């Protein structure tokens, strides 16, 4: 993976567990704010991604734009106070590898719009911190950072 | 409080439509903002205008610009209204009318709800006021074209690479 752009952090997913930095499994870039604060212990991460390197779609594809719209419209409001943070998983300047929604408690993961792209796996984790959810309506990425991270 | 072009708009601290505390500057996130003070969900004029603004969100979502609506409705009511019109932007809730008093934006002719006077501001990312629209009369509100023109002007001023 190339040098990380400003606003991005790295994690890896092996199909069952998440690792900060360059651990075992497939590497992704996330919104760095999600790994930047005080971590929430034993949070639930719904990882809608696959460890298979072939599982990639361009961020600009209509279906990837639409799941971001769905996240803004109803997924984030549906989660309420359970939400810790949400981030897409970027592979490079254009590749979408999935998304992670992190919550304090179990939620209606079967409703997760990101699972329409890649199936979700629930992972218990201590990696993530609270980030204010994206304000909308912007779904574009800032300088290649994993949505909703970054800013001008 | 001065709310004229060139003044810095106060950094509102209000809960959003999910009840989370927010700052206007945080919601702006470094982008130009269309800030709309709205009477509330019950007003047909607000319903009509916010549907037009919602139609415009398809342009804002790809143009690095923000839409924020402030009303006296509770977060729960805003969340329902937001879902009803299909909005994907942030509503800020001021049922205690805390900022309404400070901003001097009371709608004096509505003696039932005591809502915000419909007023729109277009703001630079640092919350400097670009234009003000008094929407007490419906035709005073910004049209979609007004908002496009304002977002273009602000973006031209703040994006260094807008013109190459």
């Amino acid at each position: 993976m190339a040098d990380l752009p400003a606003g991005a952090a790295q994690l890896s997913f092996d199909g069952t567990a998440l690792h900060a930095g360059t651990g075992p499994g497939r590497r992704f870039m996330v919104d760095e704010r999600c790994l930047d604060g005080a971590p929430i212990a034993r949070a639930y991460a719904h990882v809608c991604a696959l460890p298979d390197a072939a599982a990639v779609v361009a961020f600009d594809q209509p279906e990837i734009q639409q799941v971001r719209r769905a996240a803004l419209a109803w997924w984030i409001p549906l989660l309420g106070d359970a939400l810790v943070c949400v981030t897409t998983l970027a592979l490079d300047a254009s590749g979408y590898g999935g998304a992670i929604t992190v919550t304090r408690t179990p939620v209606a993961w079967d409703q997760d719009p990101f699972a329409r792209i890649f199936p979700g796996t629930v992972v218990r984790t201590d990696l993530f911190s609270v980030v204010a959810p994206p304000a909308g309506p912007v779904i574009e990425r800032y300088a290649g950072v994993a949505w909703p991270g970054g800013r001008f | 409080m001065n709310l004229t072009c060139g003044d810095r708009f106060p950094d509102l601290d209000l809960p959003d439509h999910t009840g989370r505390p927010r700052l206007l500057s945080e919601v702006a996130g470094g982008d130009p903002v269309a800030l709309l003070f709205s009477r509330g969900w019950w007003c047909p004029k607000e319903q009509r205008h916010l549907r037009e603004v919602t139609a415009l969100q398809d342009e804002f979502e790809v143009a690095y610009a923000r839409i924020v609506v402030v009303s006296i409705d509770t977060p729960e009511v805003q969340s329902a209204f937001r879902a009803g019109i299909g909005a994907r932007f942030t509503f800020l809730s001021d049922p205690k009318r805390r900022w309404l008093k400070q901003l001097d934006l009371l709608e004096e002719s509505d003696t039932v709800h005591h809502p915000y006077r419909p007023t729109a501001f277009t703001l630079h990312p640092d919350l400097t006021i670009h234009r003000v629209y008094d929407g007490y009369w419906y035709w005073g509100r910004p049209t979609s074209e007004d908002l496009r023109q304002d977002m273009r002007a602000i973006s031209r001023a703040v994006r260094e690479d807008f013109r190459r």
Side-chain angles (χ1 to χ4, degrees), chain A residues 27-54:
Chain A
R27 295 177 188 175
F28 299 99
M29 289 183 287
V30 301
D31 177 354
E32 70 170 355
R33 298 173 300 167
C34 297
L35 305 179
D36 208 25
I40 302 298
R42 299 290 290 160
Y44 295 81
H46 194 226
V47 186
C48 295
L50 297 169
D52 182 351

CSV table of all heavy atoms in Angstrom, one decimal, chain A residues 27-54:
chain,number,residue,atom,x,y,z
A,27,ARG,N,-5.0,-5.1,4.1
A,27,ARG,CA,-4.8,-3.8,4.6
A,27,ARG,C,-5.8,-2.8,4.0
A,27,ARG,O,-6.0,-2.8,2.8
A,27,ARG,CB,-3.4,-3.3,4.4
A,27,ARG,CG,-2.3,-4.1,5.1
A,27,ARG,CD,-0.9,-3.7,4.8
A,27,ARG,NE,0.1,-4.6,5.4
A,27,ARG,CZ,1.4,-4.4,5.1
A,27,ARG,NH1,1.8,-3.5,4.4
A,27,ARG,NH2,2.2,-5.3,5.7
A,28,PHE,N,-6.3,-1.9,4.9
A,28,PHE,CA,-7.2,-0.9,4.4
A,28,PHE,C,-6.8,0.4,5.0
A,28,PHE,O,-6.2,0.5,6.1
A,28,PHE,CB,-8.6,-1.2,4.9
A,28,PHE,CG,-9.2,-2.5,4.4
A,28,PHE,CD1,-9.2,-3.6,5.1
A,28,PHE,CD2,-9.8,-2.5,3.1
A,28,PHE,CE1,-9.8,-4.8,4.7
A,28,PHE,CE2,-10.4,-3.7,2.6
A,28,PHE,CZ,-10.3,-4.8,3.4
A,29,MET,N,-7.2,1.5,4.4
A,29,MET,CA,-7.1,2.9,5.0
A,29,MET,C,-8.5,3.3,5.5
A,29,MET,O,-9.5,3.1,4.8
A,29,MET,CB,-6.6,3.9,3.9
A,29,MET,CG,-5.2,3.7,3.5
A,29,MET,SD,-4.6,5.0,2.3
A,29,MET,CE,-5.5,4.5,0.8
A,30,VAL,N,-8.5,3.9,6.7
A,30,VAL,CA,-9.7,4.3,7.3
A,30,VAL,C,-9.6,5.8,7.7
A,30,VAL,O,-8.5,6.4,7.6
A,30,VAL,CB,-10.0,3.5,8.6
A,30,VAL,CG1,-10.1,2.0,8.3
A,30,VAL,CG2,-8.9,3.7,9.7
A,31,ASP,N,-10.7,6.4,8.0
A,31,ASP,CA,-10.7,7.8,8.6
A,31,ASP,C,-9.9,7.7,9.9
A,31,ASP,O,-10.3,7.1,10.8
A,31,ASP,CB,-12.2,8.2,8.8
A,31,ASP,CG,-12.3,9.6,9.4
A,31,ASP,OD1,-11.3,10.2,9.8
A,31,ASP,OD2,-13.5,10.0,9.6
A,32,GLU,N,-8.8,8.5,9.9
A,32,GLU,CA,-7.9,8.4,11.0
A,32,GLU,C,-8.5,8.8,12.4
A,32,GLU,O,-8.0,8.3,13.4
A,32,GLU,CB,-6.6,9.2,10.8
A,32,GLU,CG,-6.9,10.7,10.8
A,32,GLU,CD,-5.6,11.5,10.8
A,32,GLU,OE1,-4.5,10.9,10.9
A,32,GLU,OE2,-5.6,12.7,10.7
A,33,ARG,N,-9.6,9.6,12.3
A,33,ARG,CA,-10.2,10.0,13.6
A,33,ARG,C,-10.8,8.8,14.3
A,33,ARG,O,-10.9,8.9,15.6
A,33,ARG,CB,-11.3,11.0,13.3
A,33,ARG,CG,-10.8,12.3,12.6
A,33,ARG,CD,-12.0,13.2,12.2
A,33,ARG,NE,-12.9,12.5,11.3
A,33,ARG,CZ,-14.1,12.9,10.9
A,33,ARG,NH1,-14.6,13.9,11.5
A,33,ARG,NH2,-14.8,12.2,10.0
A,34,CYS,N,-11.1,7.8,13.6
A,34,CYS,CA,-11.7,6.6,14.2
A,34,CYS,C,-10.7,5.9,15.1
A,34,CYS,O,-11.1,5.1,16.0
A,34,CYS,CB,-12.3,5.6,13.2
A,34,CYS,SG,-13.6,6.3,12.2
A,35,LEU,N,-9.4,6.1,14.9
A,35,LEU,CA,-8.4,5.4,15.7
A,35,LEU,C,-7.6,6.3,16.6
A,35,LEU,O,-6.6,6.0,17.1
A,35,LEU,CB,-7.5,4.6,14.8
A,35,LEU,CG,-8.1,3.6,13.8
A,35,LEU,CD1,-7.0,3.0,12.9
A,35,LEU,CD2,-8.9,2.5,14.5
A,36,ASP,N,-8.1,7.6,16.6
A,36,ASP,CA,-7.3,8.7,17.2
A,36,ASP,C,-7.6,9.0,18.6
A,36,ASP,O,-6.8,9.7,19.3
A,36,ASP,CB,-7.5,9.9,16.3
A,36,ASP,CG,-6.2,10.8,16.3
A,36,ASP,OD1,-5.1,10.3,16.5
A,36,ASP,OD2,-6.4,12.0,16.0
A,37,GLY,N,-8.7,8.7,19.1
A,37,GLY,CA,-9.1,9.1,20.4
A,37,GLY,C,-9.1,8.0,21.5
A,37,GLY,O,-8.5,7.0,21.2
A,38,ALA,N,-9.8,8.3,22.6
A,38,ALA,CA,-9.8,7.2,23.6
A,38,ALA,C,-10.7,6.1,23.1
A,38,ALA,O,-11.8,6.2,22.7
A,38,ALA,CB,-10.5,7.8,24.9
A,39,PRO,N,-10.1,4.9,23.1
A,39,PRO,CA,-10.8,3.7,22.5
A,39,PRO,C,-12.0,3.3,23.4
A,39,PRO,O,-11.9,3.4,24.6
A,39,PRO,CB,-9.7,2.6,22.4
A,39,PRO,CG,-8.7,3.0,23.4
A,39,PRO,CD,-8.7,4.5,23.5
A,40,ILE,N,-13.0,2.8,22.7
A,40,ILE,CA,-14.2,2.2,23.4
A,40,ILE,C,-13.9,0.7,23.6
A,40,ILE,O,-13.8,0.0,22.6
A,40,ILE,CB,-15.5,2.5,22.6
A,40,ILE,CG1,-15.7,4.0,22.4
A,40,ILE,CG2,-16.7,1.9,23.3
A,40,ILE,CD1,-15.9,4.8,23.6
A,41,ALA,N,-13.9,0.3,24.8
A,41,ALA,CA,-13.6,-1.1,25.1
A,41,ALA,C,-14.7,-2.0,24.6
A,41,ALA,O,-15.9,-1.7,24.8
A,41,ALA,CB,-13.3,-1.3,26.6
A,42,ARG,N,-14.4,-3.1,24.0
A,42,ARG,CA,-15.3,-4.2,23.6
A,42,ARG,C,-16.4,-3.7,22.8
A,42,ARG,O,-17.6,-4.1,23.0
A,42,ARG,CB,-15.8,-4.9,24.9
A,42,ARG,CG,-14.7,-5.6,25.7
A,42,ARG,CD,-14.1,-6.8,25.0
A,42,ARG,NE,-15.0,-7.9,25.0
A,42,ARG,CZ,-14.9,-8.9,24.1
A,42,ARG,NH1,-13.9,-8.9,23.2
A,42,ARG,NH2,-15.8,-9.9,24.1
A,43,ALA,N,-16.1,-2.8,21.9
A,43,ALA,CA,-17.1,-2.3,21.0
A,43,ALA,C,-17.4,-3.4,19.9
A,43,ALA,O,-16.7,-4.4,19.8
A,43,ALA,CB,-16.6,-1.0,20.3
A,44,TYR,N,-18.5,-3.1,19.2
A,44,TYR,CA,-18.9,-4.1,18.1
A,44,TYR,C,-18.6,-3.4,16.8
A,44,TYR,O,-19.2,-2.3,16.5
A,44,TYR,CB,-20.4,-4.4,18.2
A,44,TYR,CG,-20.8,-5.1,19.4
A,44,TYR,CD1,-21.0,-4.5,20.7
A,44,TYR,CD2,-21.0,-6.5,19.4
A,44,TYR,CE1,-21.3,-5.2,21.8
A,44,TYR,CE2,-21.3,-7.2,20.6
A,44,TYR,CZ,-21.5,-6.6,21.7
A,44,TYR,OH,-21.9,-7.3,22.9
A,45,ALA,N,-17.8,-4.0,16.0
A,45,ALA,CA,-17.5,-3.5,14.7
A,45,ALA,C,-18.2,-4.4,13.6
A,45,ALA,O,-17.9,-5.6,13.6
A,45,ALA,CB,-16.0,-3.4,14.4
A,46,HIS,N,-19.0,-3.8,12.8
A,46,HIS,CA,-19.6,-4.5,11.7
A,46,HIS,C,-18.8,-4.3,10.5
A,46,HIS,O,-18.8,-3.2,9.9
A,46,HIS,CB,-21.1,-4.1,11.5
A,46,HIS,CG,-21.9,-5.0,10.6
A,46,HIS,ND1,-22.7,-4.6,9.6
A,46,HIS,CD2,-22.0,-6.4,10.7
A,46,HIS,CE1,-23.2,-5.6,9.0
A,46,HIS,NE2,-22.8,-6.7,9.6
A,47,VAL,N,-18.0,-5.2,10.2
A,47,VAL,CA,-17.0,-5.1,9.1
A,47,VAL,C,-17.6,-5.6,7.8
A,47,VAL,O,-17.7,-6.8,7.6
A,47,VAL,CB,-15.7,-5.8,9.4
A,47,VAL,CG1,-14.6,-5.5,8.3
A,47,VAL,CG2,-15.2,-5.4,10.8
A,48,CYS,N,-18.0,-4.7,6.9
A,48,CYS,CA,-18.6,-5.1,5.6
A,48,CYS,C,-17.4,-5.1,4.6
A,48,CYS,O,-17.3,-4.1,3.8
A,48,CYS,CB,-19.7,-4.2,5.2
A,48,CYS,SG,-21.1,-4.3,6.3
A,49,ALA,N,-16.6,-6.1,4.7
A,49,ALA,CA,-15.4,-6.2,3.8
A,49,ALA,C,-15.0,-7.7,3.8
A,49,ALA,O,-15.4,-8.5,4.6
A,49,ALA,CB,-14.3,-5.3,4.3
A,50,LEU,N,-14.2,-8.0,2.8
A,50,LEU,CA,-13.7,-9.4,2.7
A,50,LEU,C,-12.2,-9.3,2.7
A,50,LEU,O,-11.6,-8.4,2.2
A,50,LEU,CB,-14.2,-10.0,1.4
A,50,LEU,CG,-15.7,-10.1,1.3
A,50,LEU,CD1,-16.1,-10.5,-0.2
A,50,LEU,CD2,-16.2,-11.2,2.3
A,51,PRO,N,-11.5,-10.4,3.2
A,51,PRO,CA,-10.1,-10.4,3.2
A,51,PRO,C,-9.5,-10.6,1.8
A,51,PRO,O,-8.3,-10.4,1.5
A,51,PRO,CB,-9.7,-11.5,4.1
A,51,PRO,CG,-10.9,-12.4,4.3
A,51,PRO,CD,-12.1,-11.5,4.0
A,52,ASP,N,-10.4,-11.1,0.9
A,52,ASP,CA,-10.0,-11.4,-0.5
A,52,ASP,C,-9.6,-10.1,-1.3
A,52,ASP,O,-10.4,-9.2,-1.4
A,52,ASP,CB,-11.1,-12.1,-1.2
A,52,ASP,CG,-10.7,-12.5,-2.6
A,52,ASP,OD1,-9.7,-12.1,-3.1
A,52,ASP,OD2,-11.5,-13.3,-3.2
A,53,ALA,N,-8.4,-10.0,-1.8
A,53,ALA,CA,-8.0,-8.8,-2.5
A,53,ALA,C,-8.8,-8.5,-3.7
A,53,ALA,O,-8.7,-7.3,-4.2
A,53,ALA,CB,-6.5,-9.0,-2.9
A,54,ALA,N,-9.5,-9.4,-4.2
A,54,ALA,CA,-10.3,-9.2,-5.4
A,54,ALA,C,-11.6,-8.4,-5.1
A,54,ALA,O,-12.3,-8.0,-6.0
A,54,ALA,CB,-10.7,-10.5,-6.1
